[in-house]
Amino acid sequence: MKIIMLGAPGAGKGTQAKMIADRYGIPHISTGDIFRANIKNGTKLGKEAKGYMDQGLLVPDELTVKLLLDRVAQEDCSDGYVLDGFPRNIPQAEVLDRALADQGERIDYAVDVEVADRHIINRMSGRRACVGCGATYHIVNVPPKKEGICDVCGEALILREDDRPDTVTKRLAVYHEQTQPLIDYYKEKGILKSVDGTMPMEEVFDAITRILG
Ligand code: AMP
């Protein structure tokens, strides 16, 4: 099963993508996580991507598309995957569709996690990420056991540069302009499924599993 997660930054699509990956035994592929790992490791790609990410802008397609196509061509993706953060614009969606069609394949579902903008800013300002392993928390909704410390690896939790309120506002504008058109794109293909992302996390997941079967 090949699944795309859609939704504004902070809609909870990453959390849901991880839960889907666990439930269905398929890899969770987050282009944002791949870029952050590259930044942490000081790679050339990381250095190039960071400037865009810190400003809330999309990393250019030349850097993003090949990275994703290489990833989904790996052995562990043969039974499907859940994409979190890709595609982010129509050209990326078209390249992915063409690459899949060349192999007689296609995306099965595009799941849109719907959350209005007014909820997003609040959610994002409470988000904290581990500097060590990248695990994410929320100071109210998903707090760590010990304040400011990662449950998984014990390193410090920070407010990511791209989760700061002014950057979030920019990311939302980029989302509406470039990513939201994907909702109609997948609707026209007949594979769009929308869920209410303001429900508690477990209820959102139940709604998704009812769709995926
Ligand atoms: P995310 O963790 O998915 O919110 O991604 C964090 C940041 O990484 C985004 O704000 C973009 O700067 C960059 N990014 C992630 N995925 C993509 C993509 N498919 N295309 C372009 N930029 C991306």
Side-chain angles (χ1 to χ4, degrees):
M1 186 152 50
K2 298 185 186 64
I3 305 161
I4 285 173
M5 301 302 291
L6 296 174
K13 63 183 186 312
T15 306
Q16 296 298 328
K18 282 185 201 120
M19 293 164 84
I20 293 169
D22 280 351
R23 168 71 63 94
Y24 295 92
I26 51 179
H28 164 223
I29 301 177
S30 155
T31 37
D33 283 353
I34 297 174
F35 287 133
R36 281 184 287 276
N38 275 273
I39 293 172
K40 194 170 171 228
N41 295 329
T43 68
K44 183 165 172 280
L45 174 67
K47 288 191 181 100
E48 284 177 327
K50 188 175 188 314
Y52 297 98
M53 291 170 73
D54 284 352
Q55 290 179 69
L57 301 173
L58 294 186
V59 177
D61 290 352
E62 304 84 84
L63 299 179
T64 310
V65 170
K66 187 172 179 304
L67 181 89
L68 189 279
L69 293 182
D70 286 349
R71 178 65 188 89
V72 297
Q74 285 172 21
E75 181 61 36
D76 64 333
C77 292
S78 56
D79 287 339
Y81 41 78
V82 50
L83 298 186
D84 163 17
F86 188 100
R88 276 297 225 282
N89 57 28
I90 299 277
Q92 290 183 5
E94 289 175 342
V95 176
L96 176 64
D97 279 346
R98 272 199 303 275
L100 289 174
D102 283 348
Q103 297 169 2
E105 295 174 11
R106 61 180 173 78
I107 296 295
D108 298 294
Y109 296 104
V111 177
D112 181 29
V113 181
E114 294 179 313
V115 177
D117 284 11
R118 63 180 187 283
H119 297 301
I120 297 279
I121 307 251
N122 281 344
R123 281 193 184 191
M124 302 281 270
S125 57
R127 203 145 96 158
R128 296 292 180 272
C130 174
V131 290
C133 69
T136 49
Y137 299 84
H138 188 281
I139 50 177
V140 180
N141 305 335
V142 194
K145 292 196 184 81
K146 195 165 169 222
E147 198 184 318
I149 302 292
C150 179
D151 292 350
V152 181
C153 72
E155 290 216 34
L157 302 181
I158 54 154
L159 178 63
R160 266 175 18 201
E161 196 60 42
D162 61 347
D163 286 342
R164 293 184 186 281
D166 48 339
T167 317
V168 171
T169 306
K170 179 69 194 166
R171 289 171 73 190
L172 276 174
V174 169
Y175 167 76
H176 288 300
E177 190 191 319
Q178 301 197 46
T179 310
Q180 207 172 13
L182 291 172
I183 293 177
D184 282 340
Y185 178 91
Y186 289 114
K187 198 184 279 172
E188 277 163 27
K189 292 189 180 291
I191 58 169
L192 182 79
K193 306 286 172 186
S194 299
V195 293
D196 175 1
T198 61
M199 298 186 295
M201 193 170 73
E202 294 297 341
E203 286 177 38
V204 178
F205 186 58
D206 284 347
I208 293 175
T209 52
R210 279 197 295 276
I211 292 165
L212 303 181

